[in-house]
Amino acid sequence: MLIFSVFKTLTDQQVTVELKNDLSITGVLKSVDQFLNIRLDNIKVLDEARHPHMMAVKNCFIRGSVVRYVQLPPESVDTQLLEDATRRESAAQTKR
Amino acid sequence: MDTSSAIQEPFDLIRLSLSERVFVKLRGDRELSGILHAYDGHMNLILSDVEETILIVDQADGAGEGQPTVNMAKRKMDMLFVRGDGVILVSPPSR
């Protein structure tokens, strides 16, 4: 739930999603759900020469399970807030 | 050491590594070193100041003889979300 909230705060920001098949897609994060499925607008594929079939694609939905990494804009991530929220969530988990 | 008394379950080891540099081993011969800022029960991670090392093993074409050559590719990323299903281990900083 915590990571889901983080992604929600990053909507309308530019992110780079790296998939497990090594395809990297940069685009504007339009929405995210609890499975960390991601919708990107205005996409651009890194290394277009290797993936010419992606050239015409302007926006896409990415299934959460095929994501390896998401590169986030560092200036829009409050690391202190993240660490506090993580401690709070792990404390809540142990209590159950 | 008061750290051992604070460790009750495996995730506590990761909790105590928050805001410290950790080593992460991933599927696909990838390793990361970065400062841990967040994680969850799936071992999804958020790291900053990350260096990724990819090991590319090229088996010499004459199979069976000779050492396979191992190439190392490194790259740096500022802020990175890592999906938990690729994580093999998270290790706290060496002290």
Side-chain angles (χ1 to χ4, degrees), chain B:
Chain B
M1 289 291 172
D2 66 330
T3 50
S4 52
S5 62
I7 294 182
Q8 235 81 177
E9 50 171 303
F11 268 117
D12 291 345
L13 188 70
I14 303 181
R15 195 185 69 235
L16 293 170
S17 308
L18 279 169
S19 80
E20 303 225 44
R21 185 162 286 278
V22 293
F23 169 83
V24 183
K25 192 169 161 62
L26 296 170
R27 300 177 66 153
D29 298 319
R30 286 161 194 267
E31 295 171 351
L32 300 175
S33 159
I35 298 166
L36 181 67
H37 296 298
Y39 67 86
D40 65 11
H42 303 286
M43 291 249 254
N44 292 321
L45 311 171
I46 294 178
L47 305 169
S48 73
D49 193 16
V50 186
E51 184 174 66
E52 182 194 38
T53 309
I54 311 172
L55 292 166
I56 304 151
V57 181
D58 284 326
Q59 196 71 46
D61 27 327
E65 48 137 329
Q67 240 76 47
T69 51
V70 179
N71 286 307
M72 228 193 254
K74 281 185 192 274
R75 64 177 171 152
K76 286 191 184 347
M77 289 162 281
D78 280 333
M79 187 65 71
L80 190 69
F81 159 79
V82 182
R83 193 172 163 91
D85 59 1
V87 175
I88 294 173
L89 70 86
V90 180
S91 164
S94 47
R95 29 185 118 85

Side-chain angles (χ1 to χ4, degrees), chain A residues 22-83:
Chain A
D22 291 328
L23 182 66
S24 287
I25 306 171
T26 303
V28 179
L29 181 67
K30 287 321 278 187
S31 61
V32 64
D33 67 13
Q34 52 164 335
F35 304 109
L36 306 184
N37 296 322
I38 289 172
R39 244 197 65 220
L40 291 181
D41 268 7
N42 254 319
I43 65 166
K44 187 119 185 88
V45 171
L46 274 76
D47 196 3
E48 271 196 325
R50 257 185 63 204
H51 309 279
H53 56 287
M54 290 293 291
M55 258 165 44
V57 186
K58 290 283 164 279
N59 58 71
C60 65
F61 172 97
I62 301 169
R63 184 178 153 102
S65 65
V66 303
V67 172
R68 180 187 292 134
Y69 302 137
V70 182
Q71 283 173 252
L72 312 171
E75 63 281 359
S76 12
V77 179
D78 183 340
T79 55
Q80 192 58 55
L81 198 78
L82 274 184
E83 288 161 21

